[in-house]
Amino acid sequence: MAPHSSRRDFLKTSTAIGAAVFVNAKPAFTQEKSPNERVRYACIGVDGKGRSDSGDAAKHGDVVAICDVDDSKLQKAARNPQFKKPETFHDYREMLEKMDGKIDAVTVSTPDHHHYLAAASAMKRGLACFCQKPLTHSVWEARELQNIAREMNVPTMMGNQGTSYGGLRKAAALLQSGHLGTIQAAHIFTNRPVWEQGVARPEPSEVPANLNWDLWLGPAPERPYANGVYHPFAWRGWWDFGTGALGDMACHTFNMPFMALGLKNPKTIQAWTSGHNKDSYPQSSKIKFEFPADDDRPAIDVWWYDGGELPSKELLLGLDEFKKSGRSPSGALIVCEKGTLYSWGDYGENWMLLPEGENEVPDLDYEESPGHFTEFHQSITGERKRATSNFENYAGPLTETILLGNLAVWAAADGEGKKIEWDAEKLEPTNAPEVAHVVRREYRDGWSA
């Protein structure tokens, strides 16, 4: 057996052993008996969110390879003194092949349409994977990453950082405690989009010399480059590349209600939108998810609002105005029998009980996190068995739920869409075959995991 295979097996075995072995001992990776004992990271996407993800990797281990389709961003990152003179690549498929045996983990910080292929390709090689939110571009991809992570038994984590905040975990524990009585409904809202969407496709322009446009497109259908419209930021507003306001922010704002209420596998989803051309997402949408009862709560309706849509002020139970920052509010209202939990902002860590002054928060039990990326790193070294937002049990199901909203948004191209009936076991919209391509998309020739 090659030395690198033995080391990879060691990493996987350490993960399986879990936190119990290491809870009272200094983990092997921090003892640094030799340089080879440090976790070796490769980072796919090094600009935007990729800057902080690769920076987190460098704080915890050694960044030995980096990949980006924009050569100017790639070369700038290569000079980062935090990194260990990394090898550079434009195509993550080439990087994963040439670095086989030389890396232990990857970070994926690309546009949404690359998430699945990059993450799946890495995990199938036995590599740990940290992937930005939303975990995938489609519902089928989210389910498939759960299956691959489970089959390969590799450490995983999604970049929804609020999962590790004490305030979010405390809010979830409060809602699960029964202190507020029966959960009745949830309303979740965002100030996104902060990019243009609901628009016609722009005129093409010349591709900059530093950008490999074909690699940027990757598995998506071919289309001409348009200066500043897709790369580097506004791709979120286009069906071929992003997942709209819902996909961009719900992994954050939906996160606390998901943790608290187990919001998996809605039975129906329906949307009302400002209308869209099935190329660019609508300027605004409102989505209703109907979740069946489970062992811990009754059936519940969950509402999503974006593009300036908001829940009624009556739901704020006397609070004069939203606690907010920026252009418009984001947050969540969890309506309960004995009051309402109101969380403002994107990450679920700030909240209060309504009506004000009528509820005291009891003592609550919940696990504190050492930090979001730290959880991922510790799941590689064996200091803990799984990061909270792992693909199999948390990030994958959360992403599935969120992206189901886009089935309803597609069906609401003219304003009000049909109620989509969802069979979670079969991954099938039983009454809406016209949205099946949103559940599972086709990839351009040459792209597969």
Side-chain angles (χ1 to χ4, degrees), residues 182-187 300 315 317 333-337 339-341:
T182 304
I183 311 294
Q184 297 177 338
H187 299 262
I300 183 174
L315 287 167
L317 300 177
L333 288 159
I334 314 299
V335 181
C336 306
E337 177 187 9
T340 294
L341 188 150

Side-chain angles (χ1 to χ4, degrees), residues 134 136-143 146 239 243 246-247 250-251 254 258 263-271 281 286-292 304 396-412 418-430 432 435-436 438-440:
T136 60
H137 187 267
S138 75
V139 175
W140 177 86
E141 291 173 338
R143 180 70 62 87
Q146 294 170 60
W239 283 91
T243 47
L246 177 70
C251 285
F254 213 108
F258 177 84
L263 299 178
K264 302 176 183 179
N265 303 328
K267 62 181 182 180
T268 69
I269 319 100
Q270 185 174 13
Y281 284 90
K286 182 168 68 172
I287 307 170
K288 181 183 181 182
F289 300 79
E290 294 183 338
F291 292 90
W304 167 267
L398 170 60
T399 301
E400 274 192 40
T401 291
I402 288 164
L403 294 186
L404 284 171
N406 278 339
L407 306 190
V409 169
W410 182 273
K418 72 193 294 185
K419 182 181 285 191
I420 308 294
E421 297 172 1
W422 180 245
D423 185 326
E425 184 177 352
K426 295 180 179 178
L427 289 181
E428 186 176 297
T430 56
V435 301
V438 184
V439 177
R440 182 175 183 178

Side-chain angles (χ1 to χ4, degrees), residues 209-437:
N210 56 288
L211 177 66
N212 188 317
W213 179 240
D214 185 68
L215 287 178
W216 190 95
L217 286 172
E222 290 189 41
R223 74 167 67 194
Y225 173 81
N227 186 38
V229 176
Y230 311 119
H231 174 74
F233 177 68
W235 50 264
R236 291 170 174 83
W238 299 89
W239 283 91
D240 281 348
F241 312 128
T243 47
L246 177 70
D248 181 50
M249 289 310 295
C251 285
H252 293 313
T253 47
F254 213 108
N255 194 13
M256 181 270 289
F258 177 84
M259 180 182 286
L261 308 177
L263 299 178
K264 302 176 183 179
N265 303 328
K267 62 181 182 180
T268 69
I269 319 100
Q270 185 174 13
W272 296 260
T273 77
S274 57
H276 63 90
N277 58 9
K278 298 186 177 180
D279 191 22
S280 178
Y281 284 90
Q283 293 177 4
S284 66
S285 64
K286 182 168 68 172
I287 307 170
K288 181 183 181 182
F289 300 79
E290 294 183 338
F291 292 90
D294 64 19
D295 292 341
D296 300 311
R297 57 157 176 78
I300 183 174
D301 292 344
V302 176
W303 292 83
W304 167 267
Y305 311 80
D306 64 48
E309 298 283 349
L310 290 169
S312 69
K313 288 199 172 183
E314 286 74 23
L315 287 167
L316 291 171
L317 300 177
L319 190 68
D320 289 337
E321 60 182 32
F322 287 103
K323 291 182 181 291
K324 62 183 179 180
S325 61
R327 290 173 289 279
S328 61
S330 297
L333 288 159
I334 314 299
V335 181
C336 306
E337 177 187 9
K338 299 178 182 178
T340 294
L341 188 150
Y342 168 45
S343 173
W344 61 94
D346 293 320
Y347 299 102
E349 80 273 32
N350 298 313
W351 51 272
M352 63 189 300
L353 298 181
L354 301 175
E356 290 185 273
E358 294 191 17
N359 262 307
E360 291 187 8
V361 179
D363 290 336
L364 296 163
D365 226 0
Y366 59 93
E367 180 191 7
E368 292 281 2
S369 171
H372 199 68
F373 199 95
T374 301
E375 282 194 24
F376 172 62
H377 183 78
Q378 289 180 347
S379 71
I380 300 172
T381 62
E383 295 167 80
R384 64 184 299 130
K385 187 171 183 179
R386 287 286 185 269
T388 303
S389 194
N390 66 78
F391 294 179
E392 308 99 292
N393 305 317
Y394 195 97
L398 170 60
T399 301
E400 274 192 40
T401 291
I402 288 164
L403 294 186
L404 284 171
N406 278 339
L407 306 190
V409 169
W410 182 273
D414 296 324
E416 180 175 350
K418 72 193 294 185
K419 182 181 285 191
I420 308 294
E421 297 172 1
W422 180 245
D423 185 326
E425 184 177 352
K426 295 180 179 178
L427 289 181
E428 186 176 297
T430 56
N431 68 330
E434 67 271 20
V435 301
H437 70 286

Side-chain angles (χ1 to χ4, degrees), residues 51-223:
R51 286 196 301 273
S52 58
D53 291 341
S54 59
D56 284 338
K59 290 173 186 174
H60 289 82
D62 294 337
V63 173
V64 298
I66 56 176
C67 178
D68 204 288
V69 298
D70 188 323
D71 192 62
S72 63
K73 306 298 184 184
L74 182 67
Q75 297 309 320
K76 180 180 178 181
R79 296 190 293 270
N80 187 334
Q82 287 183 293
F83 300 163
K84 300 296 183 181
K85 296 182 179 179
E87 295 197 42
T88 59
F89 301 87
H90 296 114
D91 188 333
Y92 56 79
R93 298 170 299 179
E94 180 187 8
M95 182 187 77
L96 291 172
E97 182 177 346
K98 290 190 174 179
M99 297 301 292
D100 188 38
K102 301 177 184 178
I103 54 177
D104 307 306
V106 299
T107 62
V108 178
S109 315
T110 65
D112 299 351
H113 66 295
H114 278 284
H115 283 188
Y116 168 74
L117 291 179
S121 299
M123 290 194 297
K124 286 179 178 180
R125 292 177 178 269
L127 301 174
C129 184
F130 179 98
C131 184
Q132 264 307 320
K133 56 78 193 169
L135 186 60
T136 60
H137 187 267
S138 75
V139 175
W140 177 86
E141 291 173 338
R143 180 70 62 87
E144 191 66 10
L145 283 193
Q146 294 170 60
N147 294 337
I148 296 169
R150 195 172 291 115
E151 177 186 354
M152 297 303 298
N153 190 30
V154 290
T156 58
M157 182 172 235
M158 181 170 73
N160 55 338
Q161 287 76 9
T163 312
S164 302
Y165 292 167
L168 181 146
R169 294 182 177 203
K170 186 175 182 180
L174 175 64
L175 291 167
Q176 291 172 346
S177 72
H179 178 73
L180 296 177
T182 304
I183 311 294
Q184 297 177 338
H187 299 262
I188 304 162
F189 43 98
T190 183
N191 61 13
R192 296 323 194 255
V194 292
W195 53 84
E196 194 172 36
Q197 59 184 47
V199 295
R201 192 176 296 200
E203 290 296 317
S205 57
E206 186 176 352
V207 180
N210 56 288
L211 177 66
N212 188 317
W213 179 240
D214 185 68
L215 287 178
W216 190 95
L217 286 172
E222 290 189 41
R223 74 167 67 194

